[in-house]
Amino acid sequence: MSMAANAPGAKVAPRPMTTEEKRVILASSLGTVFEWYDFYLYGSLAVMIGAHFFSAFDPNTRAIFALLAFAAGFLVRPFGALFFGRLGDLIGRKYTFLVTIVIMGASTFLVGLLPSYATIGWAAPVILIALRMLQGLALGGEYGGAAVYVAEHAPPGRRGFYTSWIQTTATLGLLLSLIVILVIRVNMGEADFAAWGWRIPFLLSIFLLAVSVWIRLQMQESPAFKKMKEEGTGSKAPLTEAFGQWKNARIALIALFGLTMGQAVVWYTGQFYALFFIQSILKVDLYSANVLIAWALIIGTGGFIFFGSLSDRIGRKPVILAGCLIAALTYFPLFGALTKAANPGLAAAHENVKVQVVADPATCGSVFDPVGIRTFTSPCDIARRTLATQAIVYTSAPAPAGTPTKVTVNGKELAVDATFAATVAKEAVAAGYPAPGDARIVKTGFFGALFGGQSLTVIGILTILIIYVTMVYGPVAAALVELFPTRIRYTGMSLPYHIGNGWFGGLLPATSFAMVAGTGDIYYGLWYPIVFALATFVIGMLLVPETKDRDITTHEN
């Protein structure tokens, strides 16, 4: 194979992709699509999973536990990056991410077979959480292996383009999971799907696993890793060398704060918080919300390839950091436009209906609850949390010490009691808020979304958010690969990637909603991605080196 035989730093004219290179990209990307499909199934079906495996609790609590189990998969991803990254640098890229896909596929299939709480009691949620953590560990090792494997096969000057195919896989996996769920739901009906049909997407993963394993067994080890092994320059302790030596640990920190932190929050805002926002805040029905985001993903996914290729010409750094900056500067107007397009009645109500929480400041605590496990007892806190959940914008006003908490809707006082949620919902509708199922809220079928002005406007705004995702995510694999030498590349790049995406990104939806609940402003949660994206822009501009012309077979820190 002569893919990386050029002299260090040599400028090489782009050439057509060889058959072997296409096979490498297909094998790596297809397997990674399936891993992301498996990973996102749980998030898409969290409500139904909660009903089956946490049925000992009330509906709100079971939903909380279902989301916590979902979060567990994100939280363990960095540990999977450490474990499998070390294996990848010691025994090779190919065999390591062959192991990760088997773990992921088997864990997902077993979720589809797992008996519910009603059948085996507490063993059901315990096993479910264990399987979810195995999925997170496997994904922590999968991404780095696939990105490194493709990059080490790519010719000089083309790594951004080649690795951008890997970058499409997270979005394609999400899209695949949404489409499979939508097709099964439509054909089965809601009742059967909720009762047992939700298991089918999980069970289908066994076929995806078989295809992925077969494809990956045909692959060869990467040229850079084989060269390192032949020369005897491999690391005997990748973890210690990558993070125990300051020269390498410094690069990992720069990669985290100057690249993946901002990339992660832009990615999760465009793909996940946007979906949460239109469902939970704008009150668009689940089916329509999934259809709208699916079309935005279909339209915008080509951006990964475009921006990955662009980074080969102008550099990784300007593309990624420009995406962070543009996103941070435009999130507020874009989400404002999204509200007006998807639920114009809600946008009008926010302008015309004045809701105020009047309370003794000493009785108002923090309602910050990013993982959803707190129980609120203060009337002030209950009122604010309830208003946020119903997407009712409010302001706060101090009252004299000892004054009972009250809520006013256009001047009409409401007591915060056991019936507050129902009372405030009724009064808000009477004052001008749209009722559930309001005809002005966007509603669409899959293909019908392309023939309605309202749905097309929403898709257009969501597509812009996806384009931001492709700007920051398309080139980041190449950038991370190029920062680390071959002997610790798998380990070194995986940890900052998964801390950035698993923690900064994975906790974004819940944290942003907690910020909304605490302030009464449906857009306040956007400060989370804006602050981190701007921080990455500044740190990246100051500290991240440009790496597009590095020879990754000889690079040393």
Side-chain angles (χ1 to χ4, degrees):
M1 220 178 286
S2 59
M3 298 177 200
N6 303 80
K11 299 291 183 182
V12 182
R15 56 166 173 75
M17 196 181 291
T18 67
T19 301
E20 175 63 18
E21 289 166 351
K22 291 177 181 177
R23 187 179 297 115
V24 164
I25 290 173
L26 176 64
S28 301
S29 300
L30 194 58
T32 308
V33 167
F34 294 159
E35 290 229 17
W36 283 110
Y37 163 83
D38 290 349
F39 193 75
Y40 288 136
L41 276 181
Y42 187 102
S44 301
L45 298 171
V47 173
M48 293 177 185
I49 288 172
H52 285 272
F53 294 100
F54 299 98
S55 56
F57 303 100
D58 64 83
N60 289 332
T61 304
R62 72 178 63 150
I64 289 168
F65 276 109
L67 290 173
L68 284 175
F70 181 56
F74 286 98
L75 295 176
V76 301
R77 279 170 56 179
F79 301 102
L82 289 174
F83 179 76
F84 290 109
R86 175 180 178 275
L87 286 184
D89 285 325
L90 288 174
I91 68 173
R93 296 26 172 148
K94 170 187 171 179
Y95 294 106
T96 300
F97 67 75
L98 186 60
V99 171
T100 62
I101 201 165
V102 171
I103 294 173
M104 174 67 83
S107 299
T108 303
F109 179 70
L110 289 173
V111 170
L113 294 178
L114 183 62
S116 67
Y117 180 89
T119 304
I120 61 173
W122 283 104
V126 170
I127 295 171
L128 176 71
I129 292 172
L131 292 172
R132 182 65 190 163
M133 294 178 76
L134 281 173
Q135 288 180 321
L137 289 170
L139 189 58
E142 164 68 18
Y143 173 82
V148 168
Y149 187 78
V150 170
E152 290 180 347
H153 277 85
R158 298 283 277 168
R159 281 189 297 269
F161 173 68
Y162 278 45
T163 57
S164 66
W165 292 94
I166 293 294
Q167 301 308 90
T168 68
T169 60
T171 296
L172 292 176
L174 172 61
L175 179 61
L176 180 62
S177 71
L178 291 176
I179 290 175
V180 169
I181 290 169
L182 288 172
V183 169
I184 295 173
R185 288 179 85 147
V186 167
N187 284 279
M188 291 190 68
E190 288 297 323
D192 286 341
F193 186 81
W196 61 271
W198 64 270
R199 295 179 180 272
I200 296 175
F202 287 94
L203 297 175
L204 288 175
S205 68
I206 197 67
F207 299 105
L208 306 181
L209 172 63
V211 172
S212 300
V213 169
W214 180 80
I215 290 174
R216 289 192 172 185
L217 284 173
Q218 319 303 313
M219 297 161 65
Q220 302 297 317
E221 189 51 84
S222 81
F225 185 84
K226 288 195 290 188
K227 178 175 181 290
M228 179 191 73
K229 280 296 188 183
E230 291 166 359
E231 295 173 351
T233 56
S235 174
K236 292 181 172 58
L239 288 177
T240 301
E241 187 173 347
F243 308 116
Q245 297 179 11
W246 174 242
K247 66 174 184 176
N248 293 322
R250 175 179 175 273
I251 295 299
L253 290 172
I254 291 172
L256 172 60
F257 295 109
L259 290 174
T260 64
M261 180 176 71
Q263 165 261 304
V265 297
V266 172
W267 180 29
Y268 277 81
T269 300
Q271 293 193 169
F272 300 105
Y273 188 65
L275 180 59
F276 169 84
F277 187 84
I278 60 177
Q279 283 180 349
S280 299
I281 295 179
L282 303 187
K283 308 304 180 183
V284 177
D285 70 272
L286 177 66
Y287 181 84
S288 295
N290 284 335
V291 165
L292 294 167
I293 199 73
W295 275 114
L297 293 172
I298 291 169
I299 296 168
T301 294
F304 291 110
I305 309 301
F306 173 79
F307 288 112
S309 182
L310 181 64
S311 76
D312 285 329
R313 299 193 293 275
I314 69 172
R316 323 297 182 208
K317 180 174 172 176
V319 177
I320 296 171
L321 298 186
C324 288
L325 180 62
I326 295 170
L329 295 177
T330 59
Y331 273 156
F332 279 120
L334 281 174
F335 276 82
L338 189 59
T339 301
K340 292 177 181 177
N343 192 340
L346 183 65
H350 288 165
E351 294 292 330
N352 301 320
V353 182
K354 305 304 179 186
V355 179
Q356 191 173 56
V357 177
V358 183
D360 175 0
T363 67
C364 298
S366 168
V367 291
F368 189 74
D369 186 24
V371 294
I373 60 175
R374 293 180 59 191
T375 299
F376 298 99
T377 57
S378 163
C380 177
D381 297 343
I382 292 171
R384 290 185 293 156
R385 188 77 179 179
T386 302
L387 292 170
T389 301
Q390 296 186 12
I392 298 174
V393 170
Y394 68 89
T395 58
S396 298
T403 303
T405 298
K406 62 182 179 182
V407 173
T408 63
V409 179
N410 279 351
K412 183 176 181 178
E413 293 187 6
L414 307 177
V416 182
D417 53 22
T419 64
F420 174 71
T423 302
V424 75
K426 179 181 177 182
E427 292 298 331
V429 171
Y433 270 83
D438 187 283
R440 292 170 292 177
I441 301 174
V442 65
K443 186 177 181 66
T444 186
F446 192 79
F447 292 105
L450 300 177
F451 299 99
Q454 186 181 20
S455 58
L456 278 177
T457 301
V458 174
I459 291 171
I461 297 167
L462 293 173
T463 301
I464 293 172
L465 296 174
I466 297 298
I467 294 299
Y468 294 166
V469 171
T470 66
M471 284 186 72
V472 299
Y473 199 56
V476 80
L480 291 172
V481 165
E482 292 160 352
L483 283 172
F484 297 93
T486 304
R487 66 181 181 277
I488 59 167
R489 182 168 293 137
Y490 200 148
T491 305
M493 73 159 286
S494 293
L495 188 63
Y497 174 83
H498 285 291
I499 290 179
N501 287 274
W503 292 1
F504 285 101
L507 295 177
L508 183 149
T511 304
S512 291
F513 179 70
M515 295 168 69
V516 169
T519 61
D521 180 353
I522 67 168
Y523 305 113
Y524 194 79
L526 295 172
W527 282 113
Y528 181 106
I530 287 171
V531 167
F532 285 121
L534 288 176
T536 287
F537 175 76
V538 173
I539 295 168
M541 288 295 293
L542 295 175
L543 298 177
V544 172
E546 182 52 65
T547 57
K548 74 179 181 68
D549 294 323
R550 281 183 177 174
D551 184 339
I552 62 173
T553 64
T554 61
H555 169 64
E556 295 288 338
N557 289 342

